[in-house]
Amino acid sequence: MAAEKALTRWARQSRFAGSKDRAGIRDHVFDALRRRNSAAFLGGSLTGRGLMIGVLRQDGADLNAVFTGEGYAPAPLDGQERTVPEGKVPLDVPEWLIEPLRDSLGEAFHDTLSALTKRAPVILRVNLRKATLEQAQHLLAEEEIETHPMTLVDTALVVTEGARRIKNSAAYSGGVVELQDASSQALIAEMSLDKSMKVMDYCAGGGGKVLAMAGRCDAQYFAHDANPQRLSDLPARAKRASVNVTIAENPEASAPFDLVLCDVPCSGSGTWRRTPDAKWRFVSEDLAELERVQAEILEKAQGLVAAGGTLVYATCSVLTAENTTQIERFVHNNPSWEIDWQRQFLLSEGGDGFFGAILRRK
């Protein structure tokens, strides 16, 4: 079971714990998952207790003040637990992924792995059809939600205080802001959109990217996903944002499109600080299957693009096999397409690890 789902179930069954306690426990669990290998090494075991000893040791906490055995506090440390292990601390990714990540990231390898052990920032996208960045900041500040702009893209705000107030805020309920990572916003900003276009978000998921496109330009938008249930909230979100999006169960019936965006299924390696349990479930067979699916989606999607149109490919991955390798193979196999723009976004830029490529039909 995914960590988020398990924690939600626990919280519903544990009303004796206050909201702050539940939030604190969630934070502890996610910290331990982000640093599972290093925490287990420093804590002496892969048990929950061992992981927390390791996390607290990494954070410089006074273990004796935490492990007192008093009241609800955990039992005091035994002799072995008091000993700090010696040796090389392991990296916090599955061993089989170390070399693929090193090859993909190059000089950014260590900084990226370090960033993945930390909590991700809360980032908002401002709906430019409803407010400017400054107006959104002011509206949020009225409800004690503090933010600052990002240099990566002109629609992004990093939340520095009051993150838990966002979903009850007027800015959110009024469609002025949405939760969305900055890297994907930056890809949207690179697209050439105009009001005359028909645009398809082919792997739409919850619809965040089609809403981001619609927030920039009042074109004709469609959304499709292989699992239609993922789009169940999109009509309400689109209404809140004051934009129109048509859900297309059969994209071929509405084709051709001037632009087709494929935010394909991927490893999620660029977002593992948000879903840290996913990296420990990820195996080499999963990567091979994802590469096959990604290539298949690209082949299908190109048939939906009008002559002279645009095909956009995106992943929330930092692995070359899912990114530049896929695009280079596609262009090699389909010489009627050329790469107009592509970029690997790194966590050091403030958002998630993310890849985007914009292809033009010759």
Side-chain angles (χ1 to χ4, degrees):
M1 181 185 297
E4 189 68 61
K5 186 177 291 186
L7 284 164
T8 299
R9 178 178 294 182
W10 173 84
R12 288 172 179 165
Q13 297 172 347
S14 307
R15 295 301 181 185
F16 60 86
S19 59
K20 288 185 178 180
D21 289 335
R22 294 197 298 270
I25 288 169
R26 182 190 183 280
D27 289 344
H28 287 320
V29 169
F30 272 70
D31 283 342
L33 287 169
R34 291 186 190 101
R35 304 182 235 166
R36 194 190 77 171
N37 281 358
S38 60
F41 175 81
L42 293 171
S45 75
L46 197 54
T47 64
R49 180 179 171 90
L51 289 172
M52 287 316 306
I53 290 172
V55 167
L56 292 170
R57 188 165 273 152
Q58 287 174 318
D59 292 345
D62 181 354
L63 295 180
N64 291 324
V66 175
F67 292 84
T68 64
E70 298 175 3
Y72 293 106
L77 302 181
D78 60 30
Q80 185 175 353
E81 290 173 335
R82 292 181 184 279
T83 303
V84 180
E86 296 181 356
K88 186 178 180 180
V89 178
L91 297 172
D92 286 306
V93 289
E95 188 173 353
W96 74 270
L97 266 173
I98 292 174
E99 288 311 309
L101 285 168
R102 194 188 303 276
D103 292 342
S104 298
L105 292 163
E107 293 181 356
F109 174 73
H110 288 290
D111 286 346
T112 300
L113 262 60
S114 176
L116 287 172
T117 66
K118 300 174 176 63
R119 298 177 192 178
V122 177
I123 299 176
L124 300 173
R125 175 182 58 78
V126 177
N127 181 356
L128 296 180
R129 289 172 64 180
K130 287 208 166 190
T132 65
L133 214 68
E134 293 75 14
Q135 289 169 337
Q137 280 189 281
H138 179 73
L139 187 59
L140 290 162
E142 288 181 342
E143 298 188 63
E144 300 181 353
I145 302 169
E146 299 299 325
T147 62
H148 67 74
M150 298 183 69
T151 57
L152 186 60
V153 61
D154 63 356
T155 51
L157 292 172
V158 179
V159 179
T160 56
E161 189 176 331
R164 290 195 168 95
R165 300 189 185 99
I166 291 169
K167 289 197 173 181
N168 292 321
S169 70
Y172 182 82
S173 62
V176 174
V177 297
E178 276 270 2
L179 290 158
Q180 187 174 19
D181 183 68
S183 298
S184 60
Q185 294 185 49
L187 170 63
I188 303 299
E190 292 291 335
M191 298 180 192
S192 297
L193 299 167
D194 68 62
K195 293 184 178 182
S196 65
M197 295 175 69
K198 281 177 63 180
V199 179
M200 165 59 75
D201 187 352
Y202 188 59
C203 309
K209 290 179 181 62
V210 72
L211 292 178
M213 289 188 284
R216 282 188 169 272
C217 178
D218 186 18
Q220 187 178 3
Y221 293 99
F222 296 78
H224 168 79
D225 197 273
N227 180 357
Q229 186 59 34
R230 293 176 186 149
L231 291 166
S232 60
D233 293 336
L234 180 56
R237 294 174 69 195
K239 182 179 180 180
R240 190 169 69 230
S242 299
V243 300
N244 294 314
V245 180
T246 300
I247 295 177
E249 293 187 14
N250 179 15
E252 290 78 9
S254 303
F257 300 94
D258 300 296
L259 184 149
V260 176
L261 166 62
C262 300
D263 182 12
V264 298
C266 69
S267 64
S269 51
T271 63
W272 279 341
R273 56 185 174 176
R274 300 182 189 275
T275 56
D277 51 318
K279 67 181 172 181
W280 304 115
R281 297 193 302 269
F282 192 60
V283 297
S284 58
E285 290 81 7
D286 294 332
L287 180 58
E289 175 61 13
L290 284 167
E291 290 178 52
R292 184 194 66 77
V293 170
Q294 291 158 1
E296 184 178 273
I297 289 172
L298 273 172
E299 289 294 337
K300 287 182 178 179
Q302 71 159 324
L304 302 174
V305 183
T310 302
L311 180 62
V312 183
Y313 178 83
T315 75
C316 50
S317 173
V318 295
L319 291 166
T320 301
E322 299 182 274
N323 298 334
T324 53
T325 299
Q326 282 284 17
I327 293 303
E328 289 166 2
R329 182 187 301 119
F330 174 78
V331 171
H332 175 77
N333 293 337
N334 298 276
S336 62
W337 289 94
E338 61 185 356
I339 302 171
D340 185 62
W341 176 93
Q342 64 177 328
R343 180 176 173 184
Q344 176 69 67
F345 294 88
L346 299 173
L347 282 80
S348 58
E349 298 177 82
D352 288 338
F354 189 83
F355 175 81
I358 298 176
L359 309 175
R360 307 286 184 194
R361 195 189 289 279
K362 297 178 184 177

